[in-house]
Amino acid sequence: MDSAKWKKTGKWTALILGVLLLVPLIFFALVYWGAFGKVYTGAELKSFQNYEASEVYSADNRLLGSYYLENRSNLAYKNLPPFILGALVATEDARFYEHNGVDMRGLLRVFFKTLLLREKNAGGGSTIAQQLAKNLLKRQDHGIFTMPVNKIKEAIHAVRFHKVYSQQEILALYLNTVSVGEDTYGFQNAARRFYSTTCDSLKIEEAAVLVGMLKSPTRFNPRVHPDLAFGRRNVVLDNMAMRNYITPQTADSLKKIPLTIKYNRQGPAGTLAPYFVAQLEPLVNKLLDSVRDEKGNKYNLYTDGLKIHTTLDGEMQGYALKAVRKHMSQLQSEFDRLWGKTDPWGSQSSFLQTMVHNSPFYKSLEAAGVKEPFIKQALVEPKQTELFDWKGGHSTWCSAVDSIRYCQRLLQTGFLAMDPFTGDVKVWIGGDDYSYFAYDHVRAKRQVGSTFKPIVYATALEEGMSPCDYVKNEQKIYDQYNGWSPANAEGKYGGKYSLKGALSMSINVVSVEVILRTGIDKVVNTARKLGIESEIPAVPAIALGVADLSLLEMVRAYCSFANGGLKKEAVFITRIEDRNGKVLYKAPGNRKEKRVFTAQTAYYMTQMLAGVVNEGTGSSLRSTYHFNENLAGKTGTTQNQADGWFIGFSPGIVAGAWVGGESPSVHFSSILYGQGAHMALPEWALFMQGCKSSKRLKKYLKGNFPKGPDIDPMPVCDSYIPDNALKKAFRKLFGRKVKHEKK
C-alpha cells in the first residue's frame, strides 16, 4: 500500500477514533448538564434526607410501632458497631477508603474479568457511594439509554457525596438507606425483622447474614433460603478476614455456627400494642396540624422520622396481653365445647347471610362489578386460608363462607387501663389479634349492663340519699313505661337492700327504683359530666345498662370514682420530637380536670364498689384469685349474655375488660358462663396478678383508697334485711312466737 493510501486510511482511523471518544464525552456532558433529568448539586445532596419512618415509643421506651411510606429507621455512625462497617466495606467496596466515589480499578476489573473474560464471580464495579445514589435518588427510565444514563448520574452523584459527606456519614447513610427485602429498609429494621433486636446488639455472624443479603435480598433471605444465606454469610466472613477486620481464626470459628434467625414479622403497628398505635395516627396528625418546620412546611408523619412518646406502659401492656391470651383461650374452649357443632346464633337463618354480605371479601367483589351469580360461586370455592386461633393461627382449605362462619364463632375482647390521677392510658388491647381482626373493641359501643349502675348510685348520693338507705327488693310493673317490669337476674325477691348492698349484689329492681327516685335526667347529666358522649336513652332501663357505650368511656368514667370525684381527660401522647430531637409537642404539665361529684360521694362510691369485691358479684377476686389488697369494681352482664364486663380499680390503676362475640347474636346460652364475673373478671384478675408480681408495678396495688380531709366515714349497716327480720328480733327479745302473715 503506498503512502497516500496509508495517509488516507490513517485519517479515517483517526476520525473514527475521535468520534468514538467524542460521542461518549458529549453523552456524558449531556447527562452532566441535565439533558436526561436533574443532576443534584453537592449542596442539594448535603441537605437531602431520605424517607424515614416515624416511631412510636412506650413510656418505658419500648418501640411500639411506626408510620411510614418506606419502613426505615436511621442510625448515626457512632451507633453502628465496627464489625458491621467492616463487613460492609470488605464485601461491597474494599477500596472505599482509597477512592473519591468512583473506583477506577474496580471498573477496569469489571471490564476485563466480567465483560471480556466472562468470569461470573468477578464482583461489581459500583462503589458504596454509587449504590447510595441509586438507593436515594432512584433510577429513571430513558428507553435504550436507561442504563448508561443512570450509571453516569450515579457516578457523578457518588463523587459529590464524597465531597460533601465524610466517609463515616456515607457509610451511615448507606446502611440507613439500603433495602433488605420484605419492604424493610436500613440495617436497624433488618436487625429487628430477622433477629428481633437492634443493630448494637447484633453478633458478628448475624451482621454477616444481613450484609450478605445486599447482593440479592430475595435470593439470600435467611428465612426463605437458609442454605444460600448460610453460604453467603460465610463468604462475607471470609472477606472480613481477608481485609483484616477479623482474624482468620475468628472467621473459621464463626463459619461453624449454624445459621439461626429470630424472625419478627410485624406490620407498622407492631405486636405489643398494635390497636393503640393504629388509633394514635389521627391524633398525631391533629396535634401537628399547625406545627411547621424551619422551611415553613407541615411535618409528614410518614416520611419525617418523628419520635412519638406515649403514656402506654410496655411492661403493663405485656401482662395484659398474657392475661388476655390465657383467659380467652380457655373461654373459647368452653364456648366451643358447650355449643359443639351448633351455630351460636341458633335459628337466625339470615344471620350468616348478613355477615357474608357485610364481609370485605363480598364487598370487594361487588365493588369490582362482579355479578351476583359469580360472587356466590366465589364464596363457596375452597382456597388456602389463614385462620386465627389461640395457638398462633393455622392454615386450611375452606371457602369464604366457612371462614366467615368460623370467625363469627370466636369471642372477642377489649382491655384498657388508665392512671386515674393523671389520665395516662397505660394499656390498650382492642381485640384478640390485630393481624386478623383490626376492629377496635376499646372504642366499640356495646351494651354496658350493670357497669352503668355506679353512675346511678353516685347521682343518688349527690341528691341526698345515703349508702344505708333501704329499698324494697320487689318486682313492680311500671304502667307509665308501657307496663315494663324489670326482673332480677336470679329471679329472687323479698326483703330490703341498702344502697351499698344492692350495688354489691347488683340487684336490678332496686337500681330501677333508685334511678326513678333520683331522676333519669340527673343520671344522664352525671354521665355526661364523666365524659360519656355516646347516646344515652332517657329511660329507666339505663339503670340496667341498656345504653351502648365504649370501654374507653366507661373506664374513663370509673377514674372519677378512684380519684376523688374529678374528671380527667384521657392522655395518650407525652411529647413528639423531630428526627433531630427537637420537641414539636409536649403534653401540658397541668392536666385539665373538672369536678363531677363531691369527694364525699367519691369516697362512698369507692367503699360501695369495694363491697362488690368483698361480698358481691366480684368476690372471686378474694376467693379464687386470693387478692388481699384494696380493690373495688363492678361486673356487668347484658341481655342473653351477649356482653360480659368487669371494670375495677386499685388505689393506683383503673382497668376494664369487655368480652363478647363480634355480633350480640353470638353468646353463651347459660348465665353461669355468660356473666361478667366469668367472661371478663378473670382477665382483669390475671392482669392485676401480673402487675403485682412486678417490682416496678406492684406500687399500683399498694396502699388505701384516697380519703381527703373532712370526709365522713362509711356508715355501717346490713346489706340486706329479710322480711321477717323484725319478727325474729321480737321473738328473741320476748321469747314468744309471732304468727307469720300469709303470703
Side-chain angles (χ1 to χ4, degrees):
M1 184 178 293
D2 58 29
S3 58
K5 289 183 177 180
W6 272 107
K7 287 181 180 180
K8 187 175 182 180
T9 303
K11 288 180 180 179
W12 279 107
T13 302
L15 181 61
I16 292 170
L17 289 173
V19 170
L20 290 174
L21 291 173
L22 187 60
V23 168
L25 289 174
I26 295 173
F27 187 75
F28 179 88
L30 289 172
V31 175
Y32 187 89
W33 294 111
F36 291 91
K38 184 174 178 61
V39 176
Y40 292 89
T41 65
E44 289 172 327
L45 293 176
K46 182 67 175 177
S47 64
F48 189 88
Q49 290 183 323
N50 58 320
Y51 288 168
E52 183 179 353
S54 293
E55 296 178 333
V56 182
Y57 290 90
S58 67
D60 49 348
N61 207 35
R62 304 187 191 198
L63 178 64
L64 299 177
S66 52
Y67 310 107
Y68 56 77
L69 295 180
E70 293 180 349
N71 186 17
R72 177 187 290 113
S73 299
N74 289 343
L75 284 176
Y77 176 84
K78 64 181 180 180
N79 296 325
L80 291 164
F83 59 79
I84 292 180
L85 302 172
L88 173 65
V89 172
T91 305
E92 294 295 318
D93 189 356
R95 287 172 30 81
F96 172 77
Y97 295 105
E98 301 169 30
H99 59 68
N100 68 342
V102 177
D103 185 4
M104 298 307 298
R105 282 173 55 179
L107 290 175
L108 289 173
R109 182 190 70 245
V110 172
F111 179 78
F112 284 106
K113 290 189 175 183
T114 303
L115 297 180
L116 297 182
L117 301 178
R118 302 292 182 182
E119 292 185 10
K120 294 183 178 180
N121 298 315
S126 292
T127 63
I128 286 175
Q130 286 173 279
Q131 294 179 50
L132 175 61
K134 181 180 70 173
N135 294 338
L136 277 179
L137 306 177
K138 310 302 180 186
R139 288 180 168 176
Q140 297 175 330
D141 185 6
H142 299 284
I144 61 173
F145 299 111
T146 294
M147 186 55 68
V149 168
N150 283 316
K151 284 290 187 181
I152 292 171
K153 280 187 176 182
E154 288 162 12
I156 295 170
H157 288 138
V159 172
R160 291 178 178 176
F161 272 129
H162 272 260
K163 287 183 178 179
V164 298
Y165 286 112
S166 68
Q167 292 170 321
Q168 291 85 355
E169 289 173 328
I170 289 173
L171 290 175
L173 267 173
Y174 178 80
L175 287 172
N176 288 330
T177 303
V178 69
S179 170
V180 290
E182 298 192 359
D183 191 32
T184 300
Y185 296 83
F187 259 49
Q188 182 76 314
N189 281 347
R192 290 169 178 161
R193 172 63 57 84
F194 293 100
Y195 291 102
S196 298
T197 188
T198 52
C199 264
D200 56 0
S201 298
L202 284 172
K203 300 175 183 177
I204 296 177
E205 68 274 16
E206 294 170 344
V209 171
L210 300 182
V211 170
M213 293 177 67
L214 302 181
K215 184 178 179 68
S216 177
T218 301
R219 178 176 173 79
F220 297 113
N221 186 314
R223 178 181 64 85
V224 181
H225 303 293
D227 293 339
L228 292 175
F230 177 80
R232 180 64 181 163
R233 180 201 72 175
N234 289 351
V235 169
V236 174
L237 292 171
D238 284 336
N239 289 339
M240 294 177 71
M242 187 185 308
R243 305 295 175 183
N244 298 318
Y245 289 106
I246 58 175
T247 65
Q249 293 79 10
T250 300
D252 290 339
S253 175
L254 295 175
K255 284 160 64 177
K256 295 176 183 178
I257 298 175
L259 186 146
T260 58
I261 63 173
K262 190 176 180 182
Y263 191 71
N264 181 23
R265 175 83 188 197
Q266 60 182 41
T271 57
L272 182 61
Y275 292 95
F276 180 74
V277 173
Q279 66 90 33
L280 277 185
E281 191 170 352
L283 176 59
V284 177
N285 281 321
K286 182 179 179 181
L287 291 174
L288 295 179
D289 187 58
S290 60
V291 182
R292 299 292 184 270
D293 63 17
E294 62 276 4
K295 296 180 180 179
N297 299 321
K298 292 179 67 173
Y299 284 93
N300 190 317
L301 177 61
Y302 315 101
T303 62
D304 286 350
L306 307 178
K307 300 292 183 287
I308 300 147
H309 298 272
T310 72
T311 59
L312 191 119
D313 190 295
E315 184 183 4
M316 201 177 278
Q317 177 81 7
Y319 288 127
L321 284 173
K322 289 180 181 178
V324 165
R325 287 168 186 154
K326 182 176 181 179
H327 172 61
M328 291 300 293
S329 61
Q330 294 173 349
L331 194 69
Q332 188 67 51
S333 295
E334 286 181 340
F335 190 79
D336 293 339
R337 175 177 56 82
L338 291 170
W339 280 108
K341 295 183 179 180
T342 305
D343 288 330
W345 47 89
S347 60
Q348 301 180 54
S349 58
S350 62
F351 175 83
L352 188 60
Q353 183 180 357
T354 301
M355 295 299 107
V356 169
H357 282 198
N358 290 335
S359 69
F361 182 75
Y362 184 94
K363 289 183 178 296
S364 65
L365 293 177
E366 191 177 44
V370 180
K371 294 183 178 180
E372 186 67 23
F374 296 103
I375 295 179
K376 289 182 178 179
Q377 183 179 349
L379 287 168
V380 297
E381 287 180 353
K383 61 179 181 178
Q384 194 76 20
T385 306
E386 187 75 20
L387 296 175
F388 169 81
D389 62 42
W390 286 103
K391 296 179 181 179
H394 65 279
S395 184
T396 185
W397 280 88
C398 68
S399 69
V401 172
D402 289 336
S403 173
I404 293 167
R405 174 183 280 110
Y406 174 86
C407 291
Q408 287 301 318
R409 288 178 60 99
L410 295 173
L411 296 173
Q412 293 288 333
T413 189
F415 195 92
L416 178 70
M418 293 177 62
D419 184 324
F421 302 101
T422 64
D424 288 353
V425 173
K426 295 294 185 180
V427 171
W428 185 297
I429 299 174
D432 292 348
D433 190 311
Y434 185 76
S435 60
Y436 291 91
F437 313 105
Y439 187 69
D440 194 331
H441 290 284
V442 171
R443 290 193 179 275
K445 296 177 182 180
R446 296 289 289 257
Q447 282 196 357
V448 293
S450 294
T451 58
F452 193 85
K453 288 177 180 175
I455 300 174
V456 176
Y457 284 81
T459 309
L461 295 180
E462 285 286 281
E463 292 299 311
M465 294 188 74
S466 164
C468 284
D469 284 350
Y470 286 91
V471 178
K472 286 185 177 181
N473 176 34
E474 60 180 355
Q475 188 173 18
K476 292 183 178 180
I477 298 174
Y478 295 94
D479 293 329
Q480 67 271 40
Y481 295 104
N482 299 319
W484 180 54
S485 182
N488 289 335
E490 296 182 354
K492 296 180 180 179
Y493 305 94
K496 293 181 179 180
Y497 278 95
S498 63
L499 261 60
K500 70 172 187 176
L503 182 61
S504 67
M505 301 307 295
S506 202
I507 305 301
N508 287 343
V509 296
V510 173
S511 300
V512 170
E513 192 65 21
V514 170
I515 195 173
L516 290 174
R517 292 185 187 182
T518 303
I520 297 171
D521 290 341
K522 291 178 180 178
V523 171
V524 172
N525 187 47
T526 299
R528 296 289 179 233
K529 290 180 179 179
L530 288 167
I532 295 175
E533 298 175 351
S534 299
E535 181 182 354
I536 303 175
V539 295
I542 62 172
L544 309 183
V546 298
D548 292 328
L549 309 177
S550 71
L551 181 60
L552 175 60
E553 289 176 307
M554 292 305 295
V555 170
R556 187 171 57 192
Y558 272 60
C559 285
S560 296
F561 298 131
N563 68 19
L566 299 172
K567 174 199 170 187
K568 294 277 188 176
E569 294 295 337
V571 181
F572 304 90
I573 296 172
T574 54
R575 72 183 188 279
I576 303 173
E577 302 170 351
D578 70 7
R579 69 174 81 202
N580 298 315
K582 178 184 175 182
V583 177
L584 306 177
Y585 165 82
K586 188 174 183 180
N590 296 323
R591 307 273 174 90
K592 289 183 179 180
E593 60 184 30
K594 185 180 283 187
R595 181 157 294 283
V596 180
F597 34 71
T598 65
Q600 181 69 66
T601 294
Y603 175 72
Y604 280 164
M605 286 304 305
T606 298
Q607 297 304 310
M608 290 166 69
L609 289 168
V612 175
V613 174
N614 295 332
E615 63 180 12
T617 57
S619 60
S620 62
L621 289 171
R622 304 289 188 205
S623 60
T624 302
Y625 297 98
H626 308 296
F627 284 102
N628 53 20
E629 291 79 11
N630 285 310
L631 299 176
K634 186 71 188 76
T635 56
T637 310
T638 63
Q639 190 174 12
N640 296 324
Q641 303 81 238
D643 307 274
W645 296 76
F646 184 76
I647 304 175
F649 53 95
S650 66
I653 196 79
V654 178
W658 167 88
V659 176
E662 194 72 37
S663 166
S665 296
V666 177
H667 51 77
F668 279 102
S669 59
S670 165
I671 189 69
L672 177 65
Y673 294 97
Q675 61 182 301
H678 183 76
M679 285 219 291
L681 182 146
E683 196 170 281
W684 191 95
L686 292 170
F687 162 71
M688 295 297 278
Q689 283 182 340
C691 293
K692 185 178 177 179
S693 69
S694 167
K695 289 182 179 180
R696 184 176 68 87
L697 300 178
K698 62 183 179 182
K699 63 183 180 182
Y700 287 101
L701 281 80
K702 286 186 174 181
N704 299 313
F705 291 120
K707 180 184 178 182
D710 303 322
I711 298 296
D712 294 333
M714 185 72 175
V716 179
C717 58
D718 291 331
S719 295
Y720 174 70
I721 299 176
D723 286 331
N724 60 354
L726 291 175
K727 295 175 182 178
K728 286 184 177 179
F730 186 88
R731 185 171 60 215
K732 186 175 181 180
L733 286 172
F734 298 100
R736 47 191 268 193
K737 293 183 180 181
V738 179
K739 186 176 181 181
H740 292 280
E741 295 181 2
K742 291 183 180 180
K743 293 184 179 180

